[in-house]
Amino acid sequence: MNYDRITLTLPNGKTLETTPGTPAIDILDTIWENPDEVYAVNVNNKIYSLNTGIKTDSEVSPVLNNTRQGAEIYRRTLCFATAAAMSEIDPAYKLLVGHSISYGYYYTLTDGNAIHPPLIEKLKKQLQSIIDRNLPINTTTVSYQDAVNEFTQRGLEDTVKLMKYVCPPVVQMNTLGSFSDMDFGPLLDTTGKLKTWEIRQYGNGFLLRFPTHKNPDELVPFNDQPVLYQTLEKYKKWGKQLGVTSAAALNQKVLTRKIDEFIRLSELFQQRVFADTAKAIAERGKVKLILIAGPSSSGKTTSAKKLAMHLMSIGYNPKVLSLDNYYVGRERNPIGEDGKPDYECLEALDIELLNQNLVDLFDGKEVEIPCYNFDIGERYYNGTMMQLEENDLLILEGIHGLNDKLTPLVKPQFKFKIYLAPITQLAVNEHNRFSSNDNRLIRRIIRDARYRGKSAAQTISMWDNVQKGEKLHIFPFQNNADVIINTALDYELGVLKIYAEPLLRCITPLEKEYSEACRLLRILNFFPPIDPTEVPARSILREFIGRSGFSY
C-alpha cells in the first residue's frame, strides 16, 4: 500500500490520486463544475469544511448551496460572522442567538438590554465590511486550557460553563480575524460567500435573516409571527427566572442533583399553559370545535388528551377525533410531483365527509365515525358512533387543523385553533442555537424505532420530505392560531439522549445518513443523560419514549 498517495472517487465515478492531507478546496474544480455553488464537501458520508485536508482513500462529493446541508452551513457561518462583527464594534456587546422567526434568528444581548437602532446600523455596516473583505475562516485545534482561556477573556460565560461539562483534551476552534469561537460544525471557507442576508430590528433586538436552500440567492418576504414571538418570549422569561437558559445551566442542575425539581417545574409550567388554554376556550363561549395542528413529533396526540383533561376539570365533556380517520384511501390519494402518493396534502382527506359529519354532530345527530387501516390503505367502519350533547366539545387534531379549507362548513365563531410549537428556549452557547427541527427529529427517531420498527437511518432518510410537507401545509397557517402552545420541555434532551444515541451510532459511514447522525450526536454530546424514570406518566415526552399514562 502506498501511503504517499490517496485515491478519491468523484461523483461522476472517476478517480483522482493526490497527496494525503490535500484540502478539498484545492481539488474543487475536479469535484464540481461550478465551484461557487459548493459550500462544503462530503467525505465518506461526513461533511467537512472546504479547508479540511482529506487524509485517506475516500468517496468525495460536493455539498451544494441549494441543499438543506448547504443552507445549514450558510446560516451557521452567517451567525459566526455576525458575532465577529459585533466583537469588532465593541467586545463588551455580547450577542445571544435565539429562536427562529420568518427565516431569521432572533438576537438579543446577553445582559438583557435592548439593542437600539444606531447599534443595529453599525452592525450592518461592520458585517458588510467583513463580507466585502472576503476574509478566510480557519479551523484550528487548541488545548483545552487555551480554549478556556480564550472564552474567559472574551467574557463568554455560557461557553466557559459548557467547557466544564464537555471536557475534550483538545478543542476545535473557528477563527475569523481576531475573533474565535468553538467549532459546532462546518463553515464556509471565506466570508465573501455570505451574499444574501438582512438584519431587521425586531422586539428588543434584531432578526438575522437568511435565504432558503431552494433560493440561496434571495430572501423570502418577511412574514411576522407575533403570536409565536409572544409565546416564546414568555417561555424565555420563565427560563431566565429559573436560571436555565443554556445547555451548561441544565448540566449544572443534573450535577447538583436538582434536575428532579426542574423536571417538575417544567411540567407544571406546561400544565399551566394547557389550563390557561382551556380557560380561554371557556371564555370564548360559543366554541364547538377545537382544532389542534402542529408539525411532526410536536405531541399532537398527547396535547389533545391533556387539553381534554383540563376542559373536563372546568365542566366540559370533550371528545377527541383524529383527521387520520378521514384519509380518502390509497386508490384515491393524490400523486405528488415526485410520482409518489402525497399523504400530506389537504386533498388526501375526505373533506366532504368530514364536514358533513361535523355539521351533523353540531346539529345533535348521531354519526358513525370512520376508521382507517394504514396497512391496506383503506377506510372502513366498525360501528363507532359519536353524538355531541350539552357541554360536549369536539377536539380535532391533525396537520391541517389551522387551514380554513379543512372545515369550510363550520362557522368561524365555533372554532378555536391551537398550534403546537415544540421550541426549546435553551441555547448551546451564546452564538449557537438548538434547532426545534432537530428536537423533533430526535423525538421521531425514537418513536419510529419503538413503535414502527424503523431504523434511525430510515427516519432520517424521509425527514426532508416530512419537512417539505410541513412548509407547504402547516407553517403557513401558524398566524391563524388563537393560541400557540410550546410543547418542548427544557430537560427533554437529556432523556432523549439515552434512547437516541444507541440508534444513531448504528448508522455506519457506508450510509448517506451518517453525516446527519454525526451532527445529531455532536449536539447530544453537550447534554447530560437524565434518568427517564423522572419523567411523569402523562408528560408529552412519554408519547415518544413510552410508558405513558394515556392510552393511544
Side-chain angles (χ1 to χ4, degrees), residues 339-353:
K340 299 178 181 179
D342 184 357
Y343 297 109
E344 307 293 323
C345 68
L346 186 66
E347 292 74 20
L349 299 172
D350 193 332
I351 304 299
E352 183 178 355
L353 175 63

Side-chain angles (χ1 to χ4, degrees), residues 72 74-88 90-99 105-110 123 150-151 154-160 162 173-174 179-185 187 206 208 245-247 426-435:
E72 289 173 354
Y74 186 94
R75 295 171 189 180
R76 193 182 302 119
T77 309
L78 184 60
C79 291
F80 180 66
T82 301
M86 186 62 90
S87 179
E88 287 186 1
D90 188 341
Y93 292 122
K94 296 178 178 59
L95 290 176
L96 178 65
V97 65
H99 46 266
Y105 296 147
Y106 178 54
Y107 274 84
T108 54
L109 293 175
T110 57
L123 180 61
E150 173 77 17
F151 300 140
R154 294 191 177 278
L156 301 177
E157 295 180 6
D158 277 341
T159 306
V160 173
L162 189 62
M173 304 274 285
N174 292 315
F179 179 81
S180 296
D181 196 9
M182 187 187 296
D183 178 52
F184 285 89
L187 301 179
F206 63 85
L208 176 64
T245 59
S246 66
L426 291 183
V428 179
N429 73 344
E430 291 86 350
H431 306 141
N432 293 273
R433 60 188 294 275
F434 182 74
S435 168

